[in-house]
């Protein structure tokens, strides 16, 4: 049986990914133009989604008696720095912002996939992770659809 500390580490990794996602969408909202109100609203919904998931994961970590992660991943920080550099050269058009968002959504899917590959995670935790991954997949597909619709 996986120790509670190891399970909490997996959950904390997912909390960090959701923190990355929140910061990424906040940054993306800032990069958009006023006429991109539809995307700004969508990104606000995705920020809210990750805040909700983060709280559910944190509740489980707390139940294990472990500390809850509050930061972001190093790769998330690198990703946001890359968005800054890329924006200098490519501007803040919808397609670029959506491309960057899809990159982040791919990272989130990968993190959740890796979490589900961990053995001996309690079934209730596995179910929570699986449900969040499925919901995040819907968000990923929406970002991809919007990106592909850009000229």
């Amino acid at each position: 049986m996986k120790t509670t500390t190891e399970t909490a580490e997996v959950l904390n990794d997912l909390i960090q990914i959701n923190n990355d996602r929140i910061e990424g969408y906040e940054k993306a909202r800032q990069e958009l133009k006023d006429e991109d109100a539809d995307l700004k609203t969508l990104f606000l919904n995705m920020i809210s989604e990750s805040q909700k998931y983060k709280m559910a994961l944190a509740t489980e970590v707390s139940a294990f008696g472990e500390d809850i992660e509050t930061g972001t991943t190093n790769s998330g920080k690198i990703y946001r720095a890359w968005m800054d550099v890329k924006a200098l050269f490519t501007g803040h058009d919808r397609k670029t912002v959506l491309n960057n968002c899809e990159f982040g959504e791919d990272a989130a899917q990968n993190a959740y996939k890796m979490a589900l590959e961990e053995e001996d995670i309690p079934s209730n935790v596995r179910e929570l992770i699986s449900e969040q991954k499925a919901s995040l997949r819907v968000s990923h597909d929406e970002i991809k659809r919007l990106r592909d619709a850009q000229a």
Side-chain angles (χ1 to χ4, degrees):
M1 178 89 169
K2 186 175 275 294
T3 68
T4 56
T5 300
E6 290 169 324
T7 300
E9 285 175 9
V10 169
L11 293 171
N12 271 322
D13 286 346
L14 296 179
I15 288 171
Q16 287 182 311
I17 287 295
N18 278 286
N19 286 340
D20 288 343
R21 197 168 177 264
I22 291 165
E23 285 193 31
Y25 279 116
E26 286 173 347
K27 172 127 188 62
R29 287 185 83 236
Q30 293 168 4
E31 290 183 4
L32 291 169
K33 298 180 178 95
D34 289 340
E35 58 267 20
D36 294 320
D38 61 326
L39 288 184
K40 287 184 178 193
T41 300
L42 175 66
F43 294 171
L44 200 56
N45 290 338
M46 292 183 173
I47 289 167
S48 176
E49 177 182 57
S50 272
Q51 288 169 334
K52 180 177 85 175
Y53 294 161
K54 182 173 85 164
M55 292 307 299
L57 295 165
T59 299
E60 292 298 328
V61 172
S62 222
F64 289 125
E66 299 290 332
D67 292 334
I68 299 165
E69 187 57 57
T70 58
T72 57
T73 64
N74 286 334
S75 60
K77 291 174 186 164
I78 292 166
Y79 163 66
R80 285 186 300 281
W82 172 241
M83 276 181 75
D84 289 340
V85 170
K86 198 171 179 182
L88 291 174
F89 297 104
T90 59
H92 305 294
D93 65 277
R94 285 174 70 98
K95 187 165 187 167
T96 299
V97 170
L98 288 165
N99 262 333
N100 290 336
C101 291
E102 187 185 5
F103 177 84
E105 291 296 326
D106 287 343
Q109 282 296 305
N110 192 41
Y112 273 81
K113 178 179 175 280
M114 288 171 49
L116 288 170
E117 289 170 356
E118 290 288 327
E119 293 182 16
D120 298 327
I121 290 180
S123 60
N124 66 314
V125 173
R126 183 174 301 282
E127 186 176 328
L128 173 68
I129 294 169
S130 184
E131 287 170 3
Q132 287 187 4
K133 181 182 186 300
S135 182
L136 288 169
R137 184 69 203 190
V138 172
S139 296
H140 169 278
D141 293 349
E142 176 68 3
I143 292 293
K144 186 177 185 324
R145 184 189 66 73
L146 288 168
R147 194 265 337 259
D148 290 349
Q150 299 303 305

